[in-house]
């Protein structure tokens, strides 16, 4: 079974409650089993919240309760609606199993009372949990918990896109530095200026390709004069020419 919620506009309840998160949107995959255990009113809240934040909701048979794909980032969640102080072992057994399957796993757990909070704290150490492996997010009510889930998924997606942007900027910087070196090499040839170097780069390509190009090929593919084409051709072939002192 699959339910798809298309993003259209921010619902009134989202606008008035301040739960709208500007940004990427994405896909939320919800466990069929988890869905069937929830109260209809909570499911309505989830649907409205996801629609408000441009997330498409799919119901699928998955091991975690949720998997979010946002901005190229994928993250899994276990969402514990209530904490049973008398039956914690199955919870930690499941967590141990899923943390081996998912690189990014968060456990959102509802601790509404002091007794539940104390029980969770004891159990956390009794079952040998490591800090951040996975990350536990304690909350007091279910709606707050789901808002935190979406905000975590959204933040990871934003970071992923920023990393990609940073990488593109680095590649662009490297390309510009490479072009600077290319221009310096080409303008070291007597009579060749920046315009000539750029024309050669666009029409022929690398220094190696230019070194192999004939005078005729340079003339046919650039706006360089015959004298400049001859100079370039000789520069890469005649030792007497490229070893001679240069006077610009």
């Amino acid at each position: 079974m699959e339910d798809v919620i298309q993003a259209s506009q921010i619902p009134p309840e989202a606008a008035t409650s301040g739960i709208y998160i500007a940004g990427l949107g994405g896909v939320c995959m919800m466990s069929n089993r988890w869905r069937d255990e929830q109260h209809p009113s909570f499911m309505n809240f989830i649907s409205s919240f996801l629609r408000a934040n441009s997330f498409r909701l799919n119901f699928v048979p998955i091991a975690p309760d949720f998997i979010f794909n946002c901005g190229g980032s994928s993250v899994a969640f276990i969402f514990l609606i209530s904490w049973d102080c008398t039956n914690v072992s199955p919870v930690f057994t499941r967590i141990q199993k899923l943390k081996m399957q998912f690189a990014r796993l968060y456990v959102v757990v509802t601790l509404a009372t002091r007794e539940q909070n104390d029980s969770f704290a004891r159990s956390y150490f009794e079952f040998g949990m490591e800090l951040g492996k996975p990350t536990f997010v304690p909350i007091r009510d279910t709606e707050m918990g789901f808002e935190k889930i979406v905000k975590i998924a959204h933040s990871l997606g934003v970071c992923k896109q920023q990393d990609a942007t940073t990488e593109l900027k680095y590649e662009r910087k490297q390309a510009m530095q490479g072009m600077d070196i290319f221009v310096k090499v080409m303008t070291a040839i007597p009579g060749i200026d920046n315009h000539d170097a750029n024309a050669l780069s666009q029409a022929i390509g690398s220094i190696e390709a230019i070194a192999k190009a004939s005078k005729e090929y340079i003339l046919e593919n650039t706006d360089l004069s015959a004298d400049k084409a001859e100079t370039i051709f000789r520069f890469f072939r005649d030792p007497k020419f490229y070893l001679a002192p240069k006077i610009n």
Side-chain angles (χ1 to χ4, degrees), residues 12-75:
E13 64 270 25
T16 56
S17 64
I19 61 175
Y20 177 69
I21 305 171
L24 304 175
V27 177
C28 167
M29 291 178 282
M30 180 191 295
S31 163
N32 291 329
R33 177 192 52 77
W34 190 92
R35 175 202 60 195
D36 294 341
E37 296 173 351
Q38 308 312 311
H39 191 278
S41 63
F42 186 40
M43 289 302 302
N44 288 336
F45 168 81
I46 289 174
S47 297
S48 296
F49 191 84
L50 290 172
R51 183 171 61 249
N53 291 285
S54 302
F55 277 91
R56 187 172 71 250
L57 174 61
N58 295 338
F59 297 122
V60 290
I62 53 176
D65 298 327
F66 294 91
I67 297 176
F68 277 76
N69 292 320
C70 178
S73 174
S74 181
V75 56

Side-chain angles (χ1 to χ4, degrees), residues 63 91-102 105:
V91 172
F92 283 97
T93 298
R94 183 185 179 212
I95 291 170
Q96 293 282 20
K97 181 179 179 180
L98 289 179
K99 79 174 187 178
M100 302 298 292
Q101 300 176 16
F102 295 90
L105 175 68

Side-chain angles (χ1 to χ4, degrees), residues 118-235:
D118 291 345
S119 170
F120 169 76
R122 288 194 305 271
S123 301
Y124 182 90
F125 294 104
E126 286 175 4
F127 285 88
M129 292 291 101
E130 297 180 62
L131 187 63
K133 298 180 180 180
T135 299
F136 285 79
V137 183
I139 46 106
R140 289 192 172 276
D141 65 76
T142 54
E143 292 187 0
M144 175 194 299
F146 191 73
E147 289 181 26
K148 284 186 177 292
I149 285 175
V150 176
K151 288 177 180 177
I152 290 169
H154 175 268
S155 297
L156 291 173
V158 169
C159 290
K160 180 78 172 182
Q161 287 204 337
Q162 288 177 342
D163 288 343
T165 300
T166 300
E167 184 175 350
L168 286 173
K169 287 181 178 178
Y170 175 77
E171 290 176 355
R172 189 178 299 115
K173 182 179 179 181
Q174 291 294 97
M176 290 177 65
Q177 290 176 343
M179 187 61 190
D180 287 344
I181 294 172
F182 175 89
V183 170
K184 287 179 180 178
V185 170
M186 294 309 299
T187 54
I189 301 173
I192 302 301
D193 57 25
N194 287 358
H195 169 80
D196 300 330
N198 287 318
L200 289 163
S201 173
Q202 293 175 15
I204 301 176
S206 66
I207 293 173
E208 182 180 5
I210 295 168
K212 294 178 180 179
S214 66
K215 173 184 174 181
E216 290 73 21
Y217 187 84
I218 295 172
L219 287 172
E220 289 174 3
N221 292 277
T222 71
D223 61 355
L224 272 67
S225 67
D227 288 343
K228 289 185 177 183
E230 175 67 23
T231 298
I232 294 169
F233 180 79
R234 288 184 58 203
F235 181 84

